[in-house]
């Protein structure tokens, strides 16, 4: 993976945590977005751990450029509560999720593995606040709701639960089905909607008005 942060001490700290794991390796570090984009194109990496506010090219622009390349690494954004606004834009730019900078090492490692496996992750501590604050500033585009017509009623229910920040296990418990069944529904709805992961699914659910910023489903 590639660690991107403009503070050398912070980069070193994250790199040390990652390199201590037998299945994870930091292949490069960057202190700005432009360097991160170059490294992502030149080095083999599955995940980029991306800071947002950096000198020169910021993390938002870098995320957009990195995720625009087919087959490129996935981006896991690091944030604080003060940067919720930027995180929302980062998710729109193609990031596979976000995590608080003060997350416990085990949570950081878990998030990296989840993103590396092709899934998306939203930090539970900030998901609802993020959507509540910023989804209202992004009204549903007129044609956005059309694709949801492809979903079955159960798939719409699962999408609502995803947008509420629930894990597959939690969704299964609420709907009375197995985690494996939930995963099948998630894969089916992502395929039908042409989405990469549950992060994009969450954004679409709010953009189309399927769920309101306060969590009141409309489907």
């Amino acid at each position: 993976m590639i660690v991107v942060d403009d503070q050398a001490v912070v980069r070193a700290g994250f790199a040390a945590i990652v390199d201590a794991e037998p299945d994870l390796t930091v292949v490069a570090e960057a202190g700005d977005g432009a360097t991160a984009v170059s490294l992502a194109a030149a080095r083999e990496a599955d995940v980029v751990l991306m800071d947002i506010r950096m000198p020169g090219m910021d993390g938002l622009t870098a995320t957009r450029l990195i995720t625009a390349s087919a087959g490129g690494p996935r981006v896991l954004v690091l944030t604080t509560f003060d940067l919720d606004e930027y995180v929302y834009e980062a998710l729109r730019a193609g990031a596979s999720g976000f995590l608080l900078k003060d997350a416990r090492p085990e949570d950081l490692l878990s998030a990296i593995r989840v993103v590396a496996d092709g899934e998306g992750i939203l930090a539970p501590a900030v998901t609802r606040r993020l959507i509540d604050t910023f989804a209202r500033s992004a009204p549903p585009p007129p044609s956005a709701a059309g694709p949801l017509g492809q979903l079955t009623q159960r798939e719409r229910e699962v999408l609502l639960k995803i947008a509420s920040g629930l894990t597959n296990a939690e969704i299964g418990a609420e709907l009375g089905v197995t985690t494996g069944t939930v995963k099948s529904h998630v894969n089916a709805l992502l395929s039908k909607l042409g989405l990469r992961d549950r992060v994009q699914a969450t954004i679409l659910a709010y953009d189309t008005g399927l769920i309101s910023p306060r969590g009141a489903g409309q489907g």
Side-chain angles (χ1 to χ4, degrees):
M1 69 172 298
I2 299 172
V3 178
V4 185
D5 196 291
D6 63 330
Q7 298 182 46
V9 173
V10 174
R11 287 201 310 273
F14 285 134
I17 292 172
V18 172
D19 279 334
E21 298 298 300
D23 61 326
L24 300 175
T25 303
V26 174
V27 298
E29 298 179 25
D32 61 81
T35 303
V37 172
S38 297
L39 288 172
R43 306 295 293 271
E44 291 188 7
D46 296 319
V47 178
V48 176
L49 195 61
M50 180 74 75
D51 189 19
I52 291 183
R53 295 206 291 194
M54 296 179 289
M57 182 187 293
D58 63 20
L60 290 176
T61 303
T63 295
R64 192 171 292 108
L65 292 173
I66 290 172
T67 59
S69 300
R74 298 165 67 85
V75 177
L76 175 60
V77 172
L78 293 169
T79 186
T80 67
F81 278 113
D82 294 333
L83 296 180
D84 283 353
E85 176 181 5
Y86 299 102
V87 172
Y88 186 72
E89 293 305 316
L91 294 178
R92 288 188 168 279
S96 292
F98 65 88
L99 196 69
L100 294 178
K101 273 195 171 182
D102 61 356
R104 298 176 302 173
E106 55 266 35
D107 291 334
L108 171 65
L109 295 170
S110 175
I112 291 171
R113 292 186 174 103
V114 167
V115 171
D117 285 341
E119 296 293 333
I121 188 166
L122 298 170
V126 297
T127 301
R128 289 176 179 81
R129 178 184 172 189
L130 170 71
I131 297 299
D132 182 59
T133 304
F134 296 102
R136 286 171 294 182
S137 67
S143 61
L148 297 185
Q150 306 174 61
L151 304 182
T152 65
Q153 183 59 38
R154 179 46 61 95
E155 288 166 354
R156 288 171 69 93
E157 292 175 354
V158 171
L159 179 55
L160 284 169
K161 301 299 183 182
I162 290 174
S164 297
L166 301 186
T167 65
N168 285 353
E170 291 169 336
I171 295 173
E174 289 204 2
L175 298 181
V177 298
T178 67
T179 301
T181 297
V182 173
K183 187 173 182 179
S184 295
H185 287 313
V186 172
N187 290 338
L189 70 88
L190 292 178
S191 178
K192 289 181 179 180
L193 298 175
L195 302 176
R196 184 186 61 240
D197 52 41
R198 61 200 301 132
V199 173
Q200 289 190 333
T202 297
I203 293 174
L204 181 65
Y206 283 95
D207 280 352
T208 58
L210 180 65
I211 187 169
S212 75
R214 291 289 180 184
Q218 298 177 6

